Amino acid sequence: MIHDDALLRALKELDQPVDPSTAFTERLNSLLRFEAQIPVLPSQTQSSKLRPIPSRTDRKPGERWMQLVGLAAAVLLFAIVGTLWSLSRGSGPERGATVVAPAMGSTPEVMDAPLMPHRSAANDGQIPGPAPFDGSYARLWKRSIPNVSFAALYGDLVYYLADSQSGGNVVVALDATTGEERWSRPIARFSTFALMRKGVVVGTARDTASSNEFRVELLDHATGNPIWVTSDIYQVAVDNPAPSVQFVIVGNTILIDNSGTAIVALNAGGGQERWRYKSSGISAAACQKCVSIALVAYGNTAYFTDIHAGHLVAVSLVNGSRLWSVALTDRLAARDGTDQPFGAIPIQMTALDQGVILSDPTGYFGLLSAVDGSTVWEWPNSPAIISAVRANASLFVAGFSSADGEKPTWQWSEIDPATGEIIRSGTKKKDQSRFSNMAYLPSANLLIGGYRTNQTSPLEGIPGIGGLFSGDKSDESVGMDPATLDVVWKSSIDGCIVNLPIAPDGKLLCTSTSSNGELSVYGPKP
Amino acid sequence: MALGAHALRGTETRAESNDRRTREFDAVYREMLPRIYGYILIRVRQDVGLAEDLTQETLLAYARAHHDQVRIANPAAWLFGTARFKVIDHYRSRSPAWELPITDEDLDTIASDKYAEVDQIIERAHLIEALDQLPDIQRLAILLRYTDGFSLRETAALLDKSEHAIESLLVRGRRALRQLLSDEETRQ
């Protein structure tokens, strides 16, 4: 029989180093090479709730007092060093970016998750933020703003995009509580903006009215001053009158499309270029009709349409290496029936666990595998999908199908994204105003009904950019339980189309349908 | 400390500082990767995928702290502490056997355990095999108490259990391990 002392002795000497596999070590090396600022690989573990406690075997008697004294000295020393360092920052900018100015002024409260005009990096209709307040609202302020397009309430500021007098665009930040302007900044005419905890991502140009070139800047939430600006200059693909630069934010990485010829990953911390994937296709000049490329990201993979090569490409977010590339021209052109170039087909993509769902208005709808890009499923004679939103394990899509000479038929469907099978569907006309542009709030498990206005916002006319508006045509904003589709929340504000997300303190940003260009903010009635 | 001294004297450029910090990180990473991986692997029943996930999370957390210039006086202690917490957090939220019944019989056994002075050698591989057969919380309690060297009170705090419950787990765990190892000895 084994005795306790032998057992305890063996347990005490149990831990030994073990070399992990080469594949794992290489993957970890790649992650760490980028200063660990990218999101951690999908893991089976949950977020941490416990405070790490130092190993007893690594502690020595009396070390606690020494640690306290050391900590105090370190805090003092770091304060001095930090001051000296910040004073010397102008002496040597990081490669690929220029740090323009340190953030000044009080930092406004911002949200953790990034926000882009097409809602999320995966373009899956998911929106950050809490559940809407279930009670009466009081209007805090209202402003008439001509030519407003994309607008969002993010933390305690309202940001909107509008035409500037010089012919470019201007991004403006308002105080969410009072409506007073905090700052405004002209940006390139084709640029929109994206919001993240670190700041506001924009494209700027010396000649905001006509240039097709831009630099990427990160603006300070509090002041609108640039925190960094890229040294490199990027280009938009085409002479598109509507905003066409997409910023896809994944963790601490900003992805941009450079003229359809390359996908560039920037470090959001300082604007340095992390990697660049170059298109294998022809020059931009051959693609006059091309729209913005489709670019989405999920997990550790970015998917984009290489419009010149006619391929859908998957690249690693870690280092930009190509994972796979599949030709799309065959499967899309056959349904297209026109002579327009591949790049002119406004393709939409939604990325999820299984891979990337591809849809185009000519009637293609299918899932390509995340592993190798092979077709997992595709719908024969699909309607043109205009909206896709992922809620839990389902995908809700809506679109129009039309036979020759017949009036288009509208339909929504809830599908299993793994198989493409329809779980349920509907064609009632009244549902059209709720199912045509839905959003999903994961934190509240709410499907927010919405529709596409198509005319009121130039952004909503751009493929891949759904706009943030929600609400149906009767100016009613509703939240539905995705399991039952029962309405479990309804905004009590007349004439308000809610612009998501909802602020942590319950504030709502409303766009009026009766008078385009009017913004107002409501808060829970005291 | 060296960072502050160099910066104050103005003898280290920013590039030199970055190089030095990179070298420091590389040295810690090279030394600690197999230790942290080995530490986690035993605690997750040799589940290689899970061990890799938790190892990656631990080292990325360290890399981020290093990048943010968080002062870590003892990287080894920091990394083991983080790894330990990752393992416990994983099982706390997922293990169906996290709640184990406690019986008076368990506590009665505490007094009757005999510690004979016998020179017995237990094969490490056999011990790991036996540990893998214990319920999650029992295995973790045994490892925290006897391998990591935490006191009964500290072990109870880490697992968010009462000392009474941990005592019971340890008694039952030791008994089960002895039995499993004895069976193995008999088979040989």
Side-chain angles (χ1 to χ4, degrees), chain A residues 3-5 14-15 29 36-38 43-45 47-48 53 56, chain B residues 29 43 54 57 64 67 84-85 89 94 116 120 124 149 174 178:
Chain A
H3 290 272
D4 244 8
D5 61 338
L14 186 66
D15 278 326
N29 288 345
Q37 291 190 26
I38 51 175
S43 154
Q44 302 173 54
T45 57
S47 62
S48 42
I53 297 175
R56 187 183 182 84
Chain B
Y29 172 55
R43 283 153 181 81
L54 298 181
E57 287 187 11
R64 285 177 180 138
H67 176 269
R84 183 179 307 119
F85 140 73
D89 201 30
R94 286 165 188 267
Q120 287 178 316
R124 183 172 178 271
R174 287 206 312 263
R178 289 203 309 268

PDB file of all heavy atoms in Angstrom, chain A residues 3-5 14-15 29 36-38 43-45 47-48 53 56, chain B residues 29 43 54 57 64 67 84-85 89 94 116 120 124 149 174 178:
ATOM      1  N   HIS A   3       1.967   4.908   0.932  1.00  0.00           N
ATOM      2  CA  HIS A   3       1.777   5.688   2.143  1.00  0.00           C
ATOM      3  C   HIS A   3       1.719   7.181   1.840  1.00  0.00           C
ATOM      4  O   HIS A   3       2.222   7.634   0.820  1.00  0.00           O
ATOM      5  CB  HIS A   3       2.909   5.388   3.132  1.00  0.00           C
ATOM      6  CG  HIS A   3       2.810   4.017   3.691  1.00  0.00           C
ATOM      7  ND1 HIS A   3       2.075   3.722   4.805  1.00  0.00           N
ATOM      8  CD2 HIS A   3       3.327   2.854   3.248  1.00  0.00           C
ATOM      9  CE1 HIS A   3       2.159   2.419   5.053  1.00  0.00           C
ATOM     10  NE2 HIS A   3       2.907   1.864   4.102  1.00  0.00           N
ATOM     11  N   ASP A   4       1.115   7.893   2.773  1.00  0.00           N
ATOM     12  CA  ASP A   4       0.881   9.327   2.582  1.00  0.00           C
ATOM     13  C   ASP A   4       2.160  10.117   2.352  1.00  0.00           C
ATOM     14  O   ASP A   4       2.222  10.991   1.505  1.00  0.00           O
ATOM     15  CB  ASP A   4       0.154   9.894   3.806  1.00  0.00           C
ATOM     16  CG  ASP A   4      -1.227  10.391   3.411  1.00  0.00           C
ATOM     17  OD1 ASP A   4      -1.629  10.136   2.254  1.00  0.00           O
ATOM     18  OD2 ASP A   4      -1.883  11.032   4.237  1.00  0.00           O
ATOM     19  N   ASP A   5       3.204   9.813   3.122  1.00  0.00           N
ATOM     20  CA  ASP A   5       4.414  10.634   3.000  1.00  0.00           C
ATOM     21  C   ASP A   5       5.047  10.473   1.618  1.00  0.00           C
ATOM     22  O   ASP A   5       5.559  11.425   1.033  1.00  0.00           O
ATOM     23  CB  ASP A   5       5.421  10.309   4.103  1.00  0.00           C
ATOM     24  CG  ASP A   5       5.877   8.870   4.056  1.00  0.00           C
ATOM     25  OD1 ASP A   5       5.137   8.050   3.471  1.00  0.00           O
ATOM     26  OD2 ASP A   5       6.960   8.569   4.580  1.00  0.00           O
ATOM     27  N   LEU A  14       6.082  17.221  -8.469  1.00  0.00           N
ATOM     28  CA  LEU A  14       5.345  16.842  -9.683  1.00  0.00           C
ATOM     29  C   LEU A  14       5.626  17.742 -10.885  1.00  0.00           C
ATOM     30  O   LEU A  14       5.780  17.266 -12.008  1.00  0.00           O
ATOM     31  CB  LEU A  14       3.838  16.858  -9.373  1.00  0.00           C
ATOM     32  CG  LEU A  14       2.927  16.359 -10.489  1.00  0.00           C
ATOM     33  CD1 LEU A  14       3.149  14.882 -10.756  1.00  0.00           C
ATOM     34  CD2 LEU A  14       1.466  16.588 -10.109  1.00  0.00           C
ATOM     35  N   ASP A  15       5.672  19.061 -10.641  1.00  0.00           N
ATOM     36  CA  ASP A  15       5.761  19.991 -11.780  1.00  0.00           C
ATOM     37  C   ASP A  15       7.107  19.900 -12.487  1.00  0.00           C
ATOM     38  O   ASP A  15       8.157  20.002 -11.861  1.00  0.00           O
ATOM     39  CB  ASP A  15       5.534  21.433 -11.294  1.00  0.00           C
ATOM     40  CG  ASP A  15       4.056  21.733 -11.153  1.00  0.00           C
ATOM     41  OD1 ASP A  15       3.267  21.192 -11.958  1.00  0.00           O
ATOM     42  OD2 ASP A  15       3.691  22.486 -10.234  1.00  0.00           O
ATOM     43  N   ASN A  29       4.363  32.437 -31.070  1.00  0.00           N
ATOM     44  CA  ASN A  29       5.401  33.398 -31.464  1.00  0.00           C
ATOM     45  C   ASN A  29       4.817  34.490 -32.341  1.00  0.00           C
ATOM     46  O   ASN A  29       5.127  35.675 -32.178  1.00  0.00           O
ATOM     47  CB  ASN A  29       6.524  32.690 -32.229  1.00  0.00           C
ATOM     48  CG  ASN A  29       7.364  31.819 -31.325  1.00  0.00           C
ATOM     49  OD1 ASN A  29       7.301  31.954 -30.107  1.00  0.00           O
ATOM     50  ND2 ASN A  29       8.133  30.917 -31.902  1.00  0.00           N
ATOM     51  N   ALA A  36       1.259  41.489 -28.657  1.00  0.00           N
ATOM     52  CA  ALA A  36       0.047  40.976 -28.023  1.00  0.00           C
ATOM     53  C   ALA A  36      -1.070  41.986 -28.000  1.00  0.00           C
ATOM     54  O   ALA A  36      -1.846  42.050 -27.073  1.00  0.00           O
ATOM     55  CB  ALA A  36       0.349  40.497 -26.611  1.00  0.00           C
ATOM     56  N   GLN A  37      -1.171  42.786 -29.026  1.00  0.00           N
ATOM     57  CA  GLN A  37      -2.264  43.763 -29.058  1.00  0.00           C
ATOM     58  C   GLN A  37      -3.437  43.273 -29.882  1.00  0.00           C
ATOM     59  O   GLN A  37      -4.433  43.968 -30.042  1.00  0.00           O
ATOM     60  CB  GLN A  37      -1.762  45.076 -29.633  1.00  0.00           C
ATOM     61  CG  GLN A  37      -0.807  45.748 -28.680  1.00  0.00           C
ATOM     62  CD  GLN A  37      -0.489  47.146 -29.095  1.00  0.00           C
ATOM     63  OE1 GLN A  37      -1.266  47.787 -29.768  1.00  0.00           O
ATOM     64  NE2 GLN A  37       0.646  47.633 -28.694  1.00  0.00           N
ATOM     65  N   ILE A  38      -3.323  42.094 -30.445  1.00  0.00           N
ATOM     66  CA  ILE A  38      -4.431  41.549 -31.216  1.00  0.00           C
ATOM     67  C   ILE A  38      -5.270  40.664 -30.315  1.00  0.00           C
ATOM     68  O   ILE A  38      -4.816  40.242 -29.266  1.00  0.00           O
ATOM     69  CB  ILE A  38      -3.904  40.740 -32.396  1.00  0.00           C
ATOM     70  CG1 ILE A  38      -2.864  39.741 -31.890  1.00  0.00           C
ATOM     71  CG2 ILE A  38      -3.309  41.634 -33.437  1.00  0.00           C
ATOM     72  CD1 ILE A  38      -2.390  38.829 -32.954  1.00  0.00           C
ATOM     73  N   SER A  43     -10.928  30.722 -27.443  1.00  0.00           N
ATOM     74  CA  SER A  43     -10.466  29.826 -26.404  1.00  0.00           C
ATOM     75  C   SER A  43     -11.649  29.205 -25.691  1.00  0.00           C
ATOM     76  O   SER A  43     -12.747  29.717 -25.709  1.00  0.00           O
ATOM     77  CB  SER A  43      -9.622  30.633 -25.432  1.00  0.00           C
ATOM     78  OG  SER A  43      -9.623  30.055 -24.176  1.00  0.00           O
ATOM     79  N   GLN A  44     -11.376  28.089 -25.050  1.00  0.00           N
ATOM     80  CA  GLN A  44     -12.458  27.437 -24.314  1.00  0.00           C
ATOM     81  C   GLN A  44     -12.676  28.068 -22.955  1.00  0.00           C
ATOM     82  O   GLN A  44     -13.572  27.699 -22.242  1.00  0.00           O
ATOM     83  CB  GLN A  44     -12.103  25.968 -24.100  1.00  0.00           C
ATOM     84  CG  GLN A  44     -11.863  25.207 -25.384  1.00  0.00           C
ATOM     85  CD  GLN A  44     -11.349  23.822 -25.093  1.00  0.00           C
ATOM     86  OE1 GLN A  44     -11.975  23.095 -24.352  1.00  0.00           O
ATOM     87  NE2 GLN A  44     -10.229  23.467 -25.649  1.00  0.00           N
ATOM     88  N   THR A  45     -11.834  29.008 -22.601  1.00  0.00           N
ATOM     89  CA  THR A  45     -11.916  29.543 -21.252  1.00  0.00           C
ATOM     90  C   THR A  45     -12.808  30.773 -21.190  1.00  0.00           C
ATOM     91  O   THR A  45     -13.066  31.425 -22.183  1.00  0.00           O
ATOM     92  CB  THR A  45     -10.523  29.946 -20.760  1.00  0.00           C
ATOM     93  OG1 THR A  45     -10.010  30.880 -21.677  1.00  0.00           O
ATOM     94  CG2 THR A  45      -9.626  28.753 -20.665  1.00  0.00           C
ATOM     95  N   SER A  47     -13.888  34.557 -19.234  1.00  0.00           N
ATOM     96  CA  SER A  47     -13.149  35.715 -18.765  1.00  0.00           C
ATOM     97  C   SER A  47     -12.830  35.569 -17.284  1.00  0.00           C
ATOM     98  O   SER A  47     -13.514  34.896 -16.544  1.00  0.00           O
ATOM     99  CB  SER A  47     -13.980  36.971 -18.972  1.00  0.00           C
ATOM    100  OG  SER A  47     -15.136  36.882 -18.218  1.00  0.00           O
ATOM    101  N   SER A  48     -11.769  36.233 -16.885  1.00  0.00           N
ATOM    102  CA  SER A  48     -11.288  36.034 -15.544  1.00  0.00           C
ATOM    103  C   SER A  48     -12.069  36.830 -14.521  1.00  0.00           C
ATOM    104  O   SER A  48     -12.500  37.932 -14.776  1.00  0.00           O
ATOM    105  CB  SER A  48      -9.837  36.439 -15.491  1.00  0.00           C
ATOM    106  OG  SER A  48      -9.638  37.601 -16.203  1.00  0.00           O
ATOM    107  N   ILE A  53      -2.886  35.103  -7.530  1.00  0.00           N
ATOM    108  CA  ILE A  53      -2.157  35.126  -6.261  1.00  0.00           C
ATOM    109  C   ILE A  53      -0.782  34.546  -6.517  1.00  0.00           C
ATOM    110  O   ILE A  53      -0.652  33.481  -7.107  1.00  0.00           O
ATOM    111  CB  ILE A  53      -2.900  34.296  -5.200  1.00  0.00           C
ATOM    112  CG1 ILE A  53      -4.273  34.942  -4.947  1.00  0.00           C
ATOM    113  CG2 ILE A  53      -2.096  34.190  -3.920  1.00  0.00           C
ATOM    114  CD1 ILE A  53      -5.134  34.159  -4.010  1.00  0.00           C
ATOM    115  N   ARG A  56       3.203  30.438  -3.687  1.00  0.00           N
ATOM    116  CA  ARG A  56       3.834  30.421  -2.377  1.00  0.00           C
ATOM    117  C   ARG A  56       5.305  30.047  -2.494  1.00  0.00           C
ATOM    118  O   ARG A  56       6.150  30.561  -1.774  1.00  0.00           O
ATOM    119  CB  ARG A  56       3.112  29.402  -1.504  1.00  0.00           C
ATOM    120  CG  ARG A  56       3.567  29.402  -0.074  1.00  0.00           C
ATOM    121  CD  ARG A  56       2.841  28.309   0.687  1.00  0.00           C
ATOM    122  NE  ARG A  56       3.244  28.320   2.080  1.00  0.00           N
ATOM    123  CZ  ARG A  56       2.711  29.103   2.992  1.00  0.00           C
ATOM    124  NH1 ARG A  56       1.780  29.950   2.648  1.00  0.00           N
ATOM    125  NH2 ARG A  56       3.102  29.061   4.241  1.00  0.00           N
TER     126      ARG A  56
ATOM    127  N   TYR B  29      10.218  34.731 -21.804  1.00  0.00           N
ATOM    128  CA  TYR B  29       9.354  33.884 -22.626  1.00  0.00           C
ATOM    129  C   TYR B  29      10.015  32.528 -22.877  1.00  0.00           C
ATOM    130  O   TYR B  29       9.391  31.471 -22.715  1.00  0.00           O
ATOM    131  CB  TYR B  29       9.054  34.618 -23.931  1.00  0.00           C
ATOM    132  CG  TYR B  29       8.322  33.822 -24.970  1.00  0.00           C
ATOM    133  CD1 TYR B  29       7.101  33.204 -24.675  1.00  0.00           C
ATOM    134  CD2 TYR B  29       8.832  33.683 -26.255  1.00  0.00           C
ATOM    135  CE1 TYR B  29       6.428  32.484 -25.642  1.00  0.00           C
ATOM    136  CE2 TYR B  29       8.162  32.964 -27.223  1.00  0.00           C
ATOM    137  CZ  TYR B  29       6.958  32.358 -26.915  1.00  0.00           C
ATOM    138  OH  TYR B  29       6.291  31.645 -27.869  1.00  0.00           O
ATOM    139  N   ARG B  43      -2.626  20.048 -14.816  1.00  0.00           N
ATOM    140  CA  ARG B  43      -3.835  20.475 -14.111  1.00  0.00           C
ATOM    141  C   ARG B  43      -5.095  20.381 -14.960  1.00  0.00           C
ATOM    142  O   ARG B  43      -6.190  20.601 -14.474  1.00  0.00           O
ATOM    143  CB  ARG B  43      -3.636  21.906 -13.581  1.00  0.00           C
ATOM    144  CG  ARG B  43      -2.752  21.900 -12.331  1.00  0.00           C
ATOM    145  CD  ARG B  43      -1.999  23.185 -12.123  1.00  0.00           C
ATOM    146  NE  ARG B  43      -1.168  23.097 -10.926  1.00  0.00           N
ATOM    147  CZ  ARG B  43       0.026  22.506 -10.890  1.00  0.00           C
ATOM    148  NH1 ARG B  43       0.532  21.928 -11.974  1.00  0.00           N
ATOM    149  NH2 ARG B  43       0.717  22.460  -9.762  1.00  0.00           N
ATOM    150  N   LEU B  54      -4.850  27.881 -22.549  1.00  0.00           N
ATOM    151  CA  LEU B  54      -4.594  28.583 -21.285  1.00  0.00           C
ATOM    152  C   LEU B  54      -3.154  29.122 -21.240  1.00  0.00           C
ATOM    153  O   LEU B  54      -2.901  30.195 -20.692  1.00  0.00           O
ATOM    154  CB  LEU B  54      -4.861  27.654 -20.102  1.00  0.00           C
ATOM    155  CG  LEU B  54      -6.314  27.153 -19.980  1.00  0.00           C
ATOM    156  CD1 LEU B  54      -6.468  26.251 -18.760  1.00  0.00           C
ATOM    157  CD2 LEU B  54      -7.290  28.314 -19.883  1.00  0.00           C
ATOM    158  N   GLU B  57      -3.211  32.272 -23.329  1.00  0.00           N
ATOM    159  CA  GLU B  57      -3.837  33.390 -22.610  1.00  0.00           C
ATOM    160  C   GLU B  57      -2.889  33.950 -21.555  1.00  0.00           C
ATOM    161  O   GLU B  57      -2.781  35.165 -21.370  1.00  0.00           O
ATOM    162  CB  GLU B  57      -5.141  32.938 -21.953  1.00  0.00           C
ATOM    163  CG  GLU B  57      -6.264  32.708 -22.950  1.00  0.00           C
ATOM    164  CD  GLU B  57      -7.588  32.426 -22.257  1.00  0.00           C
ATOM    165  OE1 GLU B  57      -7.668  32.611 -21.027  1.00  0.00           O
ATOM    166  OE2 GLU B  57      -8.524  32.016 -22.953  1.00  0.00           O
ATOM    167  N   ARG B  64       1.087  41.686 -22.824  1.00  0.00           N
ATOM    168  CA  ARG B  64       0.360  42.962 -22.789  1.00  0.00           C
ATOM    169  C   ARG B  64       0.813  43.801 -21.604  1.00  0.00           C
ATOM    170  O   ARG B  64       0.993  45.007 -21.715  1.00  0.00           O
ATOM    171  CB  ARG B  64      -1.144  42.695 -22.709  1.00  0.00           C
ATOM    172  CG  ARG B  64      -1.685  42.242 -24.040  1.00  0.00           C
ATOM    173  CD  ARG B  64      -3.152  41.903 -23.961  1.00  0.00           C
ATOM    174  NE  ARG B  64      -3.600  41.464 -25.276  1.00  0.00           N
ATOM    175  CZ  ARG B  64      -4.404  40.435 -25.492  1.00  0.00           C
ATOM    176  NH1 ARG B  64      -4.877  39.743 -24.491  1.00  0.00           N
ATOM    177  NH2 ARG B  64      -4.757  40.102 -26.710  1.00  0.00           N
ATOM    178  N   HIS B  67       4.120  45.142 -22.502  1.00  0.00           N
ATOM    179  CA  HIS B  67       3.988  46.220 -23.482  1.00  0.00           C
ATOM    180  C   HIS B  67       3.507  47.512 -22.823  1.00  0.00           C
ATOM    181  O   HIS B  67       3.937  48.606 -23.165  1.00  0.00           O
ATOM    182  CB  HIS B  67       3.007  45.803 -24.574  1.00  0.00           C
ATOM    183  CG  HIS B  67       2.733  46.883 -25.575  1.00  0.00           C
ATOM    184  ND1 HIS B  67       1.694  47.774 -25.428  1.00  0.00           N
ATOM    185  CD2 HIS B  67       3.380  47.236 -26.706  1.00  0.00           C
ATOM    186  CE1 HIS B  67       1.720  48.631 -26.439  1.00  0.00           C
ATOM    187  NE2 HIS B  67       2.715  48.321 -27.234  1.00  0.00           N
ATOM    188  N   ARG B  84      -2.420  29.709 -12.822  1.00  0.00           N
ATOM    189  CA  ARG B  84      -3.235  29.032 -11.806  1.00  0.00           C
ATOM    190  C   ARG B  84      -4.661  29.550 -11.832  1.00  0.00           C
ATOM    191  O   ARG B  84      -5.634  28.795 -11.800  1.00  0.00           O
ATOM    192  CB  ARG B  84      -2.597  29.297 -10.434  1.00  0.00           C
ATOM    193  CG  ARG B  84      -3.284  28.611  -9.276  1.00  0.00           C
ATOM    194  CD  ARG B  84      -2.552  28.919  -7.986  1.00  0.00           C
ATOM    195  NE  ARG B  84      -1.138  28.604  -8.089  1.00  0.00           N
ATOM    196  CZ  ARG B  84      -0.155  29.484  -7.955  1.00  0.00           C
ATOM    197  NH1 ARG B  84      -0.430  30.749  -7.686  1.00  0.00           N
ATOM    198  NH2 ARG B  84       1.104  29.127  -8.080  1.00  0.00           N
ATOM    199  N   PHE B  85      -4.751  30.841 -11.914  1.00  0.00           N
ATOM    200  CA  PHE B  85      -6.065  31.472 -11.921  1.00  0.00           C
ATOM    201  C   PHE B  85      -6.859  31.120 -13.187  1.00  0.00           C
ATOM    202  O   PHE B  85      -8.062  30.877 -13.152  1.00  0.00           O
ATOM    203  CB  PHE B  85      -5.841  32.973 -11.748  1.00  0.00           C
ATOM    204  CG  PHE B  85      -6.701  33.854 -12.567  1.00  0.00           C
ATOM    205  CD1 PHE B  85      -8.028  34.019 -12.263  1.00  0.00           C
ATOM    206  CD2 PHE B  85      -6.169  34.531 -13.644  1.00  0.00           C
ATOM    207  CE1 PHE B  85      -8.808  34.840 -13.020  1.00  0.00           C
ATOM    208  CE2 PHE B  85      -6.939  35.350 -14.398  1.00  0.00           C
ATOM    209  CZ  PHE B  85      -8.268  35.502 -14.096  1.00  0.00           C
ATOM    210  N   ASP B  89     -10.373  29.241 -12.988  1.00  0.00           N
ATOM    211  CA  ASP B  89     -11.511  29.932 -13.594  1.00  0.00           C
ATOM    212  C   ASP B  89     -12.189  29.055 -14.634  1.00  0.00           C
ATOM    213  O   ASP B  89     -13.411  29.032 -14.756  1.00  0.00           O
ATOM    214  CB  ASP B  89     -11.025  31.235 -14.234  1.00  0.00           C
ATOM    215  CG  ASP B  89     -12.151  32.230 -14.429  1.00  0.00           C
ATOM    216  OD1 ASP B  89     -13.090  32.191 -13.612  1.00  0.00           O
ATOM    217  OD2 ASP B  89     -12.106  33.010 -15.378  1.00  0.00           O
ATOM    218  N   ARG B  94     -17.227  25.611 -15.526  1.00  0.00           N
ATOM    219  CA  ARG B  94     -17.638  24.549 -16.434  1.00  0.00           C
ATOM    220  C   ARG B  94     -17.780  23.173 -15.802  1.00  0.00           C
ATOM    221  O   ARG B  94     -18.504  22.336 -16.329  1.00  0.00           O
ATOM    222  CB  ARG B  94     -16.605  24.421 -17.561  1.00  0.00           C
ATOM    223  CG  ARG B  94     -16.714  25.545 -18.534  1.00  0.00           C
ATOM    224  CD  ARG B  94     -15.495  25.631 -19.407  1.00  0.00           C
ATOM    225  NE  ARG B  94     -15.569  26.844 -20.196  1.00  0.00           N
ATOM    226  CZ  ARG B  94     -16.082  26.906 -21.401  1.00  0.00           C
ATOM    227  NH1 ARG B  94     -16.561  25.828 -21.958  1.00  0.00           N
ATOM    228  NH2 ARG B  94     -16.141  28.039 -22.056  1.00  0.00           N
ATOM    229  N   ALA B 116       3.284   6.664   7.694  1.00  0.00           N
ATOM    230  CA  ALA B 116       4.380   5.737   7.979  1.00  0.00           C
ATOM    231  C   ALA B 116       5.655   6.190   7.280  1.00  0.00           C
ATOM    232  O   ALA B 116       5.609   6.745   6.196  1.00  0.00           O
ATOM    233  CB  ALA B 116       4.002   4.343   7.500  1.00  0.00           C
ATOM    234  N   GLN B 120       9.195   4.831  -0.188  1.00  0.00           N
ATOM    235  CA  GLN B 120       8.513   4.387  -1.395  1.00  0.00           C
ATOM    236  C   GLN B 120       8.750   5.417  -2.493  1.00  0.00           C
ATOM    237  O   GLN B 120       8.752   6.611  -2.240  1.00  0.00           O
ATOM    238  CB  GLN B 120       7.006   4.256  -1.157  1.00  0.00           C
ATOM    239  CG  GLN B 120       6.629   3.068  -0.302  1.00  0.00           C
ATOM    240  CD  GLN B 120       5.140   3.021  -0.067  1.00  0.00           C
ATOM    241  OE1 GLN B 120       4.521   4.039   0.220  1.00  0.00           O
ATOM    242  NE2 GLN B 120       4.569   1.844  -0.186  1.00  0.00           N
ATOM    243  N   ARG B 124       6.332   9.235 -11.511  1.00  0.00           N
ATOM    244  CA  ARG B 124       5.619  10.472 -11.852  1.00  0.00           C
ATOM    245  C   ARG B 124       4.482  10.203 -12.840  1.00  0.00           C
ATOM    246  O   ARG B 124       3.383  10.730 -12.699  1.00  0.00           O
ATOM    247  CB  ARG B 124       6.620  11.477 -12.446  1.00  0.00           C
ATOM    248  CG  ARG B 124       6.012  12.822 -12.762  1.00  0.00           C
ATOM    249  CD  ARG B 124       7.085  13.830 -13.160  1.00  0.00           C
ATOM    250  NE  ARG B 124       6.475  15.104 -13.510  1.00  0.00           N
ATOM    251  CZ  ARG B 124       6.070  15.421 -14.729  1.00  0.00           C
ATOM    252  NH1 ARG B 124       6.206  14.550 -15.712  1.00  0.00           N
ATOM    253  NH2 ARG B 124       5.508  16.588 -14.973  1.00  0.00           N
ATOM    254  N   GLY B 149       1.883  24.270  -2.706  1.00  0.00           N
ATOM    255  CA  GLY B 149       2.304  24.605  -1.353  1.00  0.00           C
ATOM    256  C   GLY B 149       1.459  25.638  -0.644  1.00  0.00           C
ATOM    257  O   GLY B 149       1.921  26.294   0.288  1.00  0.00           O
ATOM    258  N   ARG B 174      -6.472  12.132  -1.303  1.00  0.00           N
ATOM    259  CA  ARG B 174      -5.272  11.357  -0.948  1.00  0.00           C
ATOM    260  C   ARG B 174      -5.587   9.865  -0.894  1.00  0.00           C
ATOM    261  O   ARG B 174      -4.824   9.035  -1.369  1.00  0.00           O
ATOM    262  CB  ARG B 174      -4.735  11.819   0.406  1.00  0.00           C
ATOM    263  CG  ARG B 174      -4.064  13.176   0.374  1.00  0.00           C
ATOM    264  CD  ARG B 174      -3.024  13.307   1.498  1.00  0.00           C
ATOM    265  NE  ARG B 174      -3.509  12.890   2.797  1.00  0.00           N
ATOM    266  CZ  ARG B 174      -3.992  13.718   3.734  1.00  0.00           C
ATOM    267  NH1 ARG B 174      -4.051  15.009   3.492  1.00  0.00           N
ATOM    268  NH2 ARG B 174      -4.377  13.255   4.896  1.00  0.00           N
ATOM    269  N   ARG B 178      -3.891   7.083  -3.245  1.00  0.00           N
ATOM    270  CA  ARG B 178      -3.151   5.943  -2.684  1.00  0.00           C
ATOM    271  C   ARG B 178      -3.695   4.628  -3.220  1.00  0.00           C
ATOM    272  O   ARG B 178      -2.953   3.717  -3.570  1.00  0.00           O
ATOM    273  CB  ARG B 178      -3.229   5.968  -1.155  1.00  0.00           C
ATOM    274  CG  ARG B 178      -2.412   7.077  -0.524  1.00  0.00           C
ATOM    275  CD  ARG B 178      -2.047   6.757   0.934  1.00  0.00           C
ATOM    276  NE  ARG B 178      -3.193   6.368   1.734  1.00  0.00           N
ATOM    277  CZ  ARG B 178      -3.936   7.225   2.459  1.00  0.00           C
ATOM    278  NH1 ARG B 178      -3.637   8.504   2.463  1.00  0.00           N
ATOM    279  NH2 ARG B 178      -4.938   6.792   3.171  1.00  0.00           N
TER     280      ARG B 178
END
